[in-house]
Amino acid sequence: LLEVCIDSVASAISAVEGGAQRVELCADLFEGGITPSAGLIKRVRENISIKLNVIIRPRGGDFCYDEEEFEMMKHDILLCKTYGVDGVVFGILNTDGTIDLRRNAELVEIAHPMDITFHRAFDMTVDIFQALEDVVKLNIP
């Protein structure tokens, strides 16, 4: 499977032309990727037929989000569903560097039946082996 990280309609079309089978749409790639605008999500979906995953990350920096940011993430996932997005990419950590099981589980439930990828927040955990067990507990298909 060839997946390409993209940040525009033009890069989405180029990825398809280059043989990608899936793209991950992000804004602000220099910051490691944040949630793109609704307009960009819609236009990319209208212009490609391959699988489209969208990053759900309200801001750059760490992966510890306050309640307002968490609400934004839930809303963005629901928006992605309405635009026919195939999958979402997210990850929330607790301030101690462990995976926030409760809030990630809530996002998994909201995202169902879309594909889900737990993103690079995994790399920032304090115990990668425990983090792997925690991600498995989330039943991400």
Side-chain angles (χ1 to χ4, degrees), residues 62-102:
D62 65 27
F63 301 97
C64 305
Y65 303 115
D66 65 27
E67 284 306 309
E68 189 59 40
E69 292 167 326
F70 182 57
E71 290 301 316
M72 290 169 34
M73 294 173 81
K74 293 190 289 188
H75 174 80
D76 288 339
I77 290 170
L78 292 171
L79 180 75
C80 285
K81 277 186 168 180
T82 66
Y83 287 149
V85 168
D86 298 291
V88 288
V89 181
F90 59 78
I92 302 174
L93 301 181
N94 295 307
T95 56
D96 65 359
T98 60
I99 291 179
D100 185 332
L101 287 169
R102 180 189 62 80

Side-chain angles (χ1 to χ4, degrees), residues 23-47:
V23 293
E24 180 182 319
L25 179 60
C26 305
D28 198 0
L29 290 173
F30 292 109
E31 185 57 53
I34 61 171
T35 307
S37 73
L40 181 56
I41 296 167
K42 183 176 187 294
R43 293 298 297 147
V44 167
R45 178 71 296 168
E46 291 171 349
N47 279 276

Side-chain angles (χ1 to χ4, degrees), residues 6-22:
I6 59 164
D7 63 356
S8 67
V9 175
S11 62
I13 292 168
S14 293
V16 171
E17 291 171 351
Q21 291 107 3
R22 182 172 68 200

